[in-house]
Amino acid sequence: MEGLPKSFLEYLTVEKGLSKNTIDSYSRDLRGYLSFLEREGLAPKKVLRKNLTDYIGELRNTGLVPSSIARNLSTIRRFHRFLISEGLSDIDPTENLETPKGFIRIPRILTQEEVNSLIRKPDPKKPLGLRDRTMLELLYATGMRVSELVSVKIKDVNLEVGYIITLGKGSKERVVPIHDAAVLLIKDYLKEARNKLLRSTGSCGKGDSPYLFISKRGGPITRERFWQIIKGYALKTGIKKKVSPHVLRHSFASHLLEHGADLRSVQVMLGHSDISTTQIYTHVTGERLKRIHKEFHPRG
């Protein structure tokens, strides 16, 4: 069993193209799981569902939060499927093993009114304000990850047809549609703000940046900086919830489903490889409908 963790992590890195942070999380989860199997005297290919239930109970007793337990289960699922794909096991003890309802972490979302207030907060009369408003609009228009947003290059944007090509997890390329409001903002930003930002850095005439959104120094905006930007506008807007780029991504998906979009289309736009990842948003929509029913039904 000594070489299994290394082989599994190499598989995740090379075949699945997962990030270093994700690999580190899988590595920690796997070490804990394999230590449990060693204590129980179990080989991975001999694990039964009962053993997994015992392990979940053990994790719960350590005080691990539900979201971390759910992540552990995700790691274990991938590990056992890897063993089967490599011919090292012929059973998957995680098959049909559902994540307990208490472990489902409902994504935090903004209301449509809060999204509108957030997007309108940057001052479009200022170059940085127009840039920030365009980034917020585009993030909500596409549901892109923040790492995808800051990596968008001018050549990736087709304003005539209305779409953006982006690279998601595992370097998977996908085409994401953008609506007219986002197209108009990008055009205004390119015409009115971007060149001014380049001139202010002395970049004009010394070679343009390939990136759509640039910092005051003329380079691409970092994901950390955009986190600060969005939190700053949320504070100015008076939104009490914790706001991050990922909250806008969650809001994008939830609002689409609320307005009748099908789950498969949302999955494609988000770049999820597994539709079960997208299904979490149906829980968000369901919870919201229950709150509305309770609030407005005469016998609620």
Short mmCIF file of all heavy atoms in Angstrom, two decimals, residues 263-284:
data_model
loop_
_atom_site.label_atom_id
_atom_site.label_comp_id
_atom_site.label_asym_id
_atom_site.label_seq_id
_atom_site.Cartn_x
_atom_site.Cartn_y
_atom_site.Cartn_z
N LEU A 263 -30.63 22.15 -15.51
CA LEU A 263 -29.42 21.86 -14.74
C LEU A 263 -28.22 21.57 -15.63
O LEU A 263 -27.10 21.99 -15.35
CB LEU A 263 -29.69 20.68 -13.80
CG LEU A 263 -28.71 20.49 -12.63
CD1 LEU A 263 -28.76 21.70 -11.70
CD2 LEU A 263 -29.05 19.22 -11.86
N ARG A 264 -28.46 20.85 -16.72
CA ARG A 264 -27.36 20.48 -17.62
C ARG A 264 -26.71 21.71 -18.24
O ARG A 264 -25.49 21.80 -18.34
CB ARG A 264 -27.91 19.55 -18.71
CG ARG A 264 -26.93 19.25 -19.84
CD ARG A 264 -25.68 18.55 -19.36
NE ARG A 264 -24.77 18.29 -20.46
CZ ARG A 264 -23.48 18.03 -20.33
NH1 ARG A 264 -22.93 18.01 -19.13
NH2 ARG A 264 -22.74 17.80 -21.37
N SER A 265 -27.52 22.70 -18.65
CA SER A 265 -26.97 23.92 -19.24
C SER A 265 -26.14 24.70 -18.22
O SER A 265 -25.07 25.22 -18.53
CB SER A 265 -28.11 24.81 -19.77
OG SER A 265 -28.80 24.18 -20.82
N VAL A 266 -26.63 24.76 -16.98
CA VAL A 266 -25.90 25.45 -15.92
C VAL A 266 -24.57 24.74 -15.66
O VAL A 266 -23.53 25.37 -15.44
CB VAL A 266 -26.75 25.56 -14.64
CG1 VAL A 266 -25.94 26.18 -13.50
CG2 VAL A 266 -28.00 26.38 -14.90
N GLN A 267 -24.60 23.41 -15.67
CA GLN A 267 -23.39 22.62 -15.48
C GLN A 267 -22.33 22.99 -16.52
O GLN A 267 -21.16 23.21 -16.19
CB GLN A 267 -23.70 21.12 -15.58
CG GLN A 267 -22.45 20.24 -15.48
CD GLN A 267 -22.70 18.81 -15.96
OE1 GLN A 267 -23.82 18.47 -16.33
NE2 GLN A 267 -21.67 18.00 -16.00
N VAL A 268 -22.74 23.07 -17.78
CA VAL A 268 -21.82 23.39 -18.87
C VAL A 268 -21.24 24.79 -18.69
O VAL A 268 -20.03 25.01 -18.84
CB VAL A 268 -22.52 23.28 -20.24
CG1 VAL A 268 -21.63 23.80 -21.35
CG2 VAL A 268 -22.90 21.83 -20.51
N MET A 269 -22.09 25.76 -18.34
CA MET A 269 -21.62 27.13 -18.19
C MET A 269 -20.66 27.29 -17.02
O MET A 269 -19.72 28.08 -17.07
CB MET A 269 -22.81 28.08 -18.05
CG MET A 269 -23.53 28.34 -19.36
SD MET A 269 -24.83 29.58 -19.24
CE MET A 269 -26.21 28.57 -18.68
N LEU A 270 -20.89 26.51 -15.95
CA LEU A 270 -20.00 26.58 -14.79
C LEU A 270 -18.70 25.80 -15.00
O LEU A 270 -17.72 26.01 -14.29
CB LEU A 270 -20.72 26.02 -13.55
CG LEU A 270 -21.84 26.87 -12.97
CD1 LEU A 270 -22.54 26.12 -11.85
CD2 LEU A 270 -21.33 28.21 -12.46
N GLY A 271 -18.71 24.88 -15.96
CA GLY A 271 -17.53 24.08 -16.20
C GLY A 271 -17.38 22.93 -15.23
O GLY A 271 -16.27 22.46 -14.98
N HIS A 272 -18.51 22.45 -14.68
CA HIS A 272 -18.47 21.30 -13.77
C HIS A 272 -18.36 20.01 -14.59
O HIS A 272 -19.13 19.81 -15.53
CB HIS A 272 -19.74 21.22 -12.92
CG HIS A 272 -19.80 22.26 -11.85
ND1 HIS A 272 -20.98 22.63 -11.24
CD2 HIS A 272 -18.84 23.02 -11.27
CE1 HIS A 272 -20.74 23.56 -10.34
NE2 HIS A 272 -19.45 23.80 -10.34
N SER A 273 -17.44 19.14 -14.23
CA SER A 273 -17.30 17.87 -14.94
C SER A 273 -18.38 16.87 -14.51
O SER A 273 -18.73 15.97 -15.26
CB SER A 273 -15.91 17.27 -14.69
OG SER A 273 -15.68 17.09 -13.30
N ASP A 274 -18.90 17.04 -13.29
CA ASP A 274 -19.90 16.12 -12.76
C ASP A 274 -21.16 16.91 -12.41
O ASP A 274 -21.09 17.90 -11.67
CB ASP A 274 -19.35 15.42 -11.52
CG ASP A 274 -20.21 14.27 -11.03
OD1 ASP A 274 -21.42 14.27 -11.34
OD2 ASP A 274 -19.69 13.39 -10.33
N ILE A 275 -22.30 16.49 -12.92
CA ILE A 275 -23.54 17.23 -12.68
C ILE A 275 -23.94 17.21 -11.21
O ILE A 275 -24.69 18.09 -10.76
CB ILE A 275 -24.69 16.68 -13.57
CG1 ILE A 275 -25.81 17.73 -13.69
CG2 ILE A 275 -25.21 15.35 -13.01
CD1 ILE A 275 -26.82 17.42 -14.75
N SER A 276 -23.43 16.24 -10.45
CA SER A 276 -23.76 16.20 -9.02
C SER A 276 -23.22 17.43 -8.30
O SER A 276 -23.78 17.87 -7.29
CB SER A 276 -23.19 14.92 -8.38
OG SER A 276 -21.78 14.91 -8.43
N THR A 277 -22.14 18.00 -8.82
CA THR A 277 -21.59 19.23 -8.24
C THR A 277 -22.57 20.38 -8.45
O THR A 277 -22.74 21.24 -7.58
CB THR A 277 -20.24 19.58 -8.88
OG1 THR A 277 -19.39 18.44 -8.81
CG2 THR A 277 -19.58 20.75 -8.16
N THR A 278 -23.22 20.40 -9.60
CA THR A 278 -24.16 21.48 -9.93
C THR A 278 -25.46 21.33 -9.16
O THR A 278 -26.15 22.32 -8.89
CB THR A 278 -24.46 21.47 -11.45
OG1 THR A 278 -23.25 21.25 -12.18
CG2 THR A 278 -25.06 22.79 -11.90
N GLN A 279 -25.80 20.10 -8.79
CA GLN A 279 -27.08 19.84 -8.13
C GLN A 279 -27.22 20.54 -6.78
O GLN A 279 -28.32 20.70 -6.28
CB GLN A 279 -27.29 18.33 -7.97
CG GLN A 279 -27.68 17.65 -9.26
CD GLN A 279 -27.73 16.14 -9.14
OE1 GLN A 279 -27.03 15.55 -8.32
NE2 GLN A 279 -28.54 15.50 -9.97
N ILE A 280 -26.11 20.97 -6.19
CA ILE A 280 -26.17 21.67 -4.91
C ILE A 280 -27.04 22.92 -5.03
O ILE A 280 -27.70 23.34 -4.09
CB ILE A 280 -24.76 22.04 -4.41
CG1 ILE A 280 -24.82 22.61 -2.99
CG2 ILE A 280 -24.09 23.03 -5.34
CD1 ILE A 280 -25.26 21.64 -1.95
N TYR A 281 -27.10 23.50 -6.24
CA TYR A 281 -27.87 24.74 -6.42
C TYR A 281 -29.36 24.48 -6.41
O TYR A 281 -30.15 25.42 -6.19
CB TYR A 281 -27.44 25.45 -7.71
CG TYR A 281 -25.99 25.88 -7.66
CD1 TYR A 281 -25.02 25.24 -8.41
CD2 TYR A 281 -25.58 26.90 -6.80
CE1 TYR A 281 -23.68 25.60 -8.34
CE2 TYR A 281 -24.26 27.28 -6.72
CZ TYR A 281 -23.31 26.63 -7.49
OH TYR A 281 -21.99 26.99 -7.39
N THR A 282 -29.76 23.25 -6.65
CA THR A 282 -31.19 22.94 -6.53
C THR A 282 -31.60 23.01 -5.07
O THR A 282 -32.75 23.33 -4.76
CB THR A 282 -31.51 21.54 -7.10
OG1 THR A 282 -30.80 20.54 -6.37
CG2 THR A 282 -31.13 21.46 -8.57
N HIS A 283 -30.65 22.70 -4.16
CA HIS A 283 -30.94 22.83 -2.72
C HIS A 283 -31.13 24.30 -2.35
O HIS A 283 -31.98 24.65 -1.56
CB HIS A 283 -29.80 22.24 -1.89
CG HIS A 283 -29.68 20.75 -2.01
ND1 HIS A 283 -30.49 19.88 -1.33
CD2 HIS A 283 -28.82 19.99 -2.74
CE1 HIS A 283 -30.15 18.62 -1.63
NE2 HIS A 283 -29.14 18.67 -2.48
N VAL A 284 -30.31 25.17 -2.96
CA VAL A 284 -30.42 26.60 -2.70
C VAL A 284 -31.80 27.10 -3.12
O VAL A 284 -32.49 27.80 -2.38
CB VAL A 284 -29.33 27.39 -3.46
CG1 VAL A 284 -29.47 28.88 -3.20
CG2 VAL A 284 -27.95 26.92 -3.04
#
